[in-house]
Amino acid sequence: MKVTHSEIVISAVHPRQYPADALPEIALAGRSNVGKSSLINRMINRKNLARTSSKPGKTQTINFYRINQALMFADMPGYGFAKVSKSVRAEWGKMAETYFLKRETLRGIVHVIDLRHPPSKDDVAMYGWFKEHGLDVLIAATKADKVKRGQWPKHMKQVKEGLGMVPTDKLILFSSQTGQGKDELWSEIGRLTQASPSEELAETSPTQDHH
Ligand code: GTP
Ligand code: MG
């Protein structure tokens, strides 16, 4: 998709704060600091619309971004941040569960995983939970730029096996640094959000990304 317009709509905690427009929505889920916000910025060609940080636990709210008046991204707070208290973790669980199970416009989840490491216990539990609840989820294995090209197959296998993925499950190799995987992810998002896959969202961007 050629992104011509993107804006932050709201940082929400409670469902009554979720945007009321009925745009198809894609949620970004993943461990704290894995690169969810960076992935959004890369997808929409913005340096820092979705706030990123080297400190884990930056995003504590659900941040909604409207793209081309056609699509919504919901940037979920990261899970598995060791330093948070039990009560914060319980709050996170409630907020996430409410969102994933009640959000009517939700069409799919991009579950962001770090290509470098075996999936964490939380990654495995989260992925299992999405599948159990029949949610349409795909894996974006990010930070590919940090792994040598020759090692990609080995690391992809590690992610697939660690999560218990089956051959029909989708994994996209991604890097917010280089733009790798961006066109493929747009076409998957197009597939998830469009009734007819031939429509505009499914088109890949005409411009190549430069490093
Ligand atoms: P929370 O909001 O805390 O859950 O984190 P997040 O998942 O949104 O991560 P964020 O996008 O803020 O990125 C965390 C750190 O990883 C930042 O320092 C980013 O620059 C870095 N990062 C994210 N994606 C990539 C990538 O593809 N390659 C490299 N090399 N660094 C990345
Ligand atoms: Mg973030």
Side-chain angles (χ1 to χ4, degrees):
M1 177 163 86
K2 186 158 169 31
V3 177
T4 52
H5 189 260
S6 54
E7 63 190 326
I8 179 149
V9 183
I10 192 169
S11 294
V13 175
H14 195 274
R16 68 172 168 264
Q17 300 169 309
Y18 298 169
D21 15 1
L23 295 176
E25 193 161 289
I26 297 292
L28 280 298
R31 226 190 52 218
S32 180
N33 215 38
V34 68
K36 300 175 292 298
S37 302
S38 303
L39 180 146
I40 291 181
N41 287 329
R42 169 55 80 169
M43 292 300 282
I44 63 181
N45 310 313
R46 296 279 295 261
K47 269 225 167 72
N48 213 13
L49 183 67
R51 268 181 299 161
T52 63
S53 167
S54 52
K55 278 194 232 124
K58 177 83 186 169
T59 316
Q60 291 293 353
T61 49
I62 305 174
N63 295 337
F64 291 89
Y65 299 91
R66 192 189 287 118
I67 318 299
N68 288 4
Q69 317 288 351
L71 170 75
M72 200 78 83
F73 278 139
D75 190 7
M76 300 298 292
Y79 56 74
F81 179 36
K83 283 187 184 138
V84 302
S85 63
K86 259 195 183 147
S87 64
V88 169
R89 204 170 300 187
E91 271 309 308
W92 184 92
K94 251 193 287 173
M95 177 164 67
E97 183 171 315
T98 302
Y99 172 81
F100 288 122
L101 298 181
K102 303 257 161 76
R103 182 64 164 159
E104 284 182 6
T105 52
L106 180 64
R107 298 293 173 78
I109 298 156
V110 177
H111 189 180
V112 187
I113 297 282
D114 192 328
L115 180 69
R116 295 174 297 175
H117 313 297
S120 70
K121 266 191 193 155
D122 289 322
D123 289 332
V124 177
M126 194 80 239
Y127 190 65
W129 190 88
F130 289 142
K131 305 227 43 167
E132 221 172 88
H133 288 84
L135 293 158
D136 224 330
V137 56
L138 66 88
I139 297 294
T142 196
K143 304 196 181 177
D145 60 282
K146 297 249 193 186
V147 174
K148 286 202 190 96
R149 202 169 270 264
Q151 301 284 304
W152 284 348
K154 187 183 111 192
H155 284 255
M156 285 165 78
K157 186 161 175 261
Q158 177 176 263
V159 170
K160 284 179 180 168
E161 287 182 356
L163 293 176
M165 293 176 78
V166 295
T168 49
D169 291 346
K170 185 86 194 164
L171 180 145
I172 294 174
L173 204 64
F174 199 88
S175 167
S176 299
Q177 188 95 7
T178 66
Q180 159 150 22
K182 180 184 162 188
D183 288 348
E184 191 184 358
L185 186 52
W186 268 127
S187 98
E188 281 302 311
I189 290 172
R191 190 183 56 75
L192 290 168
T193 53
Q194 297 282 305
S196 150
S198 63
E199 284 173 51
E200 211 260 332
L201 267 175
E203 284 172 22
T204 54
S205 62
T207 48
Q208 259 319 108
D209 275 296
H210 300 288
H211 298 184

